Amino acid sequence: MLKLTFLGTSAGVPTKQRNVTAMAIECLNPHTSGSQQGNQPQNANQNKKSRPWLLMDCGEGTQQQLLHTKLSLHQLAAICITHVHGDHCYGLPGLLASAAMSGRHEPLTLIAPKAIATLLEAITLTTELYLPFALNFVAIEEVLSEQSDTNKVNIRLSDQHQLDIDITALSHRVASHAFGITQTIHHRTLDTDKLLAQGIPASALWGKLQQGHDVITGDGQQLCAVDYVNDALSRTRVVVAGDNDTPACLTAALVDTDLLVHEATYTHEVLTKIQAKNPEFDPMHSSAQSVAGFVENSGVNNLILTHFSARYQSFDNPSSSTPNMAHIRLDAESVYKGNLWLAADFDQYMVDGAVDLADINENNRVQYLGSARGH
């Protein structure tokens, strides 16, 4: 399961209701808490000390937004920066400095354009920034230039829990990218009913079987783990796109994707007016309609739009002459019939790729959880 918390949903500049771009993704493994064995579900409330998370972009003020959540910089596993525009990265130096001052010592992965390394080097030199932890910098340009079809960065969270982060080039005024986050969880379940039916009571042997070890009972009976253990694999995939005026760049990335998070800076009408008013300058952003139309044809059933121009107020009233969220929503709904959400700061969503879409009672892999500020 992946739990998304939007920390900033405004494009370019902050507003009173929205900060600039940032989003947290908690990587939850429901099988790591609780001590129950066998076919019984384990506690899904993962221990707070084992809740790794990713930060997608880090606009100015992101660390202030984090103070309104339960996220800890000590559990931050990686930071991904889509491109070098300031509303996506100006908060990075301050956040790293705060992580240092909070006592973090664990290495931190940073996946970003090479220019971000130059930015951090300049700030380190001019402000005497000191980081007591290793910053493992992964240059996007080098990942994309590798002679491979995968363009992936692997983050191993445990023996059973891993992330693959793949990168897709987008179309913007500067090099911009999308990150595909694929979480894979391997889980063994013990067939306790079979063991009890064979007269083998609960004991330490059960735990060894579940770990994949063959055992011998007290009366000399050999039990093979393969006869009592079922291996299950769950996969959840989310694609988070940076600034982009050509949604079709994501065609390959959206295969087998549970959710797309994409910018929708303007409505189609407003974007057309901006482009006509100044033909020499194209903001190279997407309209809600252009993104939604592409996703409708891609087969992705869940779409969250974000990165809204500051001209759009946060209320939803299609009758108002003031630009607002209703205009963005209607622009997207005119061409998209899937599940659609317009993100607001602190909105939280749970994405579970293991949900069986064939079950009519569980036909949505994405659930809106409410606001992080209300918890």
Side-chain angles (χ1 to χ4, degrees):
M1 297 185 295
L2 298 175
K3 183 179 180 181
L4 280 56
T5 302
F6 285 85
L7 301 170
T9 56
S10 182
V13 297
T15 71
K16 291 182 178 180
Q17 292 79 32
R18 300 178 184 273
N19 198 48
V20 286
T21 301
M23 183 179 68
I25 302 180
E26 292 179 77
C27 307
L28 306 181
N29 182 352
H31 308 298
T32 58
S33 292
S35 58
Q36 289 177 298
Q37 295 177 316
N39 298 326
Q40 297 300 315
Q42 296 187 2
N43 187 355
N45 294 319
Q46 196 168 351
N47 188 307
K48 291 181 180 179
K49 293 185 178 181
S50 61
R51 294 175 70 112
W53 60 283
L54 311 176
L55 180 62
M56 315 304 292
D57 280 333
C58 188
E60 182 183 359
T62 294
Q63 63 171 316
Q64 179 70 25
Q65 299 288 86
L66 284 170
L67 296 177
H68 298 286
T69 74
K70 296 181 180 180
L71 295 166
S72 167
L73 292 177
H74 288 267
Q75 301 302 314
L76 179 58
I79 301 173
C80 302
I81 304 296
T82 60
H83 65 292
V84 299
H85 280 160
D87 58 325
H88 294 256
C89 69
Y90 281 170
L92 181 59
L95 182 137
L96 293 175
S98 292
M101 295 183 70
S102 72
R104 180 185 176 117
H105 293 284
E106 291 295 317
L108 177 61
T109 297
L110 173 58
I111 306 171
K114 286 182 179 178
I116 295 297
T118 304
L119 171 67
L120 293 177
E121 289 170 1
I123 289 176
T124 298
L125 178 64
T126 56
T127 69
E128 298 185 359
L129 172 64
Y130 170 69
L131 301 180
F133 53 86
L135 194 61
N136 298 328
F137 187 83
V138 179
I140 288 176
E141 295 88 343
E142 294 181 1
V143 175
L144 293 179
S145 67
E146 292 178 356
Q147 299 300 313
S148 170
D149 295 331
T150 58
N151 297 331
K152 289 181 180 179
V153 177
N154 177 265
I155 298 179
R156 182 174 173 273
L157 300 175
S158 72
D159 290 341
Q160 295 79 37
H161 189 186
Q162 73 173 26
L163 298 176
D164 288 311
I165 303 177
D166 57 83
I167 305 171
T168 301
L170 303 177
S171 173
H172 190 49
R173 301 194 307 276
V174 298
S176 184
H177 307 87
F179 295 103
I181 313 299
T182 302
Q183 175 182 254
T184 304
I185 298 174
H186 297 267
H187 177 57
R188 293 191 182 103
T189 58
L190 188 65
D191 192 340
T192 57
D193 293 338
K194 182 177 180 180
L195 287 165
L196 292 173
Q198 293 180 357
I200 304 168
S203 68
L205 296 181
W206 280 23
K208 293 180 180 180
L209 281 172
Q210 188 164 9
Q211 293 171 11
H213 303 299
D214 297 340
V215 300
I216 298 177
T217 63
D219 60 5
Q221 182 180 359
Q222 183 173 359
L223 305 178
C224 296
V226 69
D227 296 328
Y228 300 93
V229 175
N230 299 311
D231 287 319
L233 184 147
S234 62
R235 176 186 178 278
T236 300
R237 177 171 171 81
V238 171
V239 173
V240 181
D243 291 1
N244 178 36
D245 71 351
T246 308
C249 290
L250 292 164
T251 298
L254 292 187
V255 174
D256 296 328
T257 291
D258 300 304
L259 168 70
L260 171 65
V261 179
H262 198 287
E263 64 126 316
T265 308
Y266 311 105
T267 60
H268 175 72
E269 179 182 8
V270 168
L271 179 58
T272 301
K273 288 181 179 179
I274 291 173
Q275 292 169 330
K277 184 176 181 180
N278 186 358
E280 297 181 358
F281 176 75
D282 186 345
M284 297 188 72
H285 285 293
S286 289
S287 69
Q289 185 181 109
S290 65
V291 177
F294 163 73
V295 178
E296 174 70 15
N297 294 323
S298 74
V300 175
N301 295 319
N302 300 290
L303 172 63
I304 300 179
L305 299 178
T306 184
H307 194 272
F308 308 114
S309 166
R311 75 186 66 209
Y312 296 101
Q313 300 300 306
S314 294
F315 64 86
D316 187 303
N317 182 355
S319 300
S320 175
S321 59
T322 301
N324 66 83
M325 285 296 99
H327 301 153
I328 293 283
R329 175 175 56 79
L330 292 173
D331 201 47
E333 289 178 345
S334 68
V335 292
Y336 183 63
K337 306 307 177 186
N339 300 309
L340 173 70
W341 297 269
L342 308 185
D345 285 22
F346 303 108
D347 277 356
Q348 293 187 307
Y349 300 83
M350 188 69 78
V351 188
D352 187 356
V355 170
D356 184 2
L357 293 184
D359 188 336
I360 193 170
N361 296 317
E362 294 182 310
N363 61 358
N364 189 359
R365 296 184 178 186
V366 181
Q367 293 184 355
Y368 173 63
L369 303 179
S371 172
R373 299 193 71 166
H375 295 166

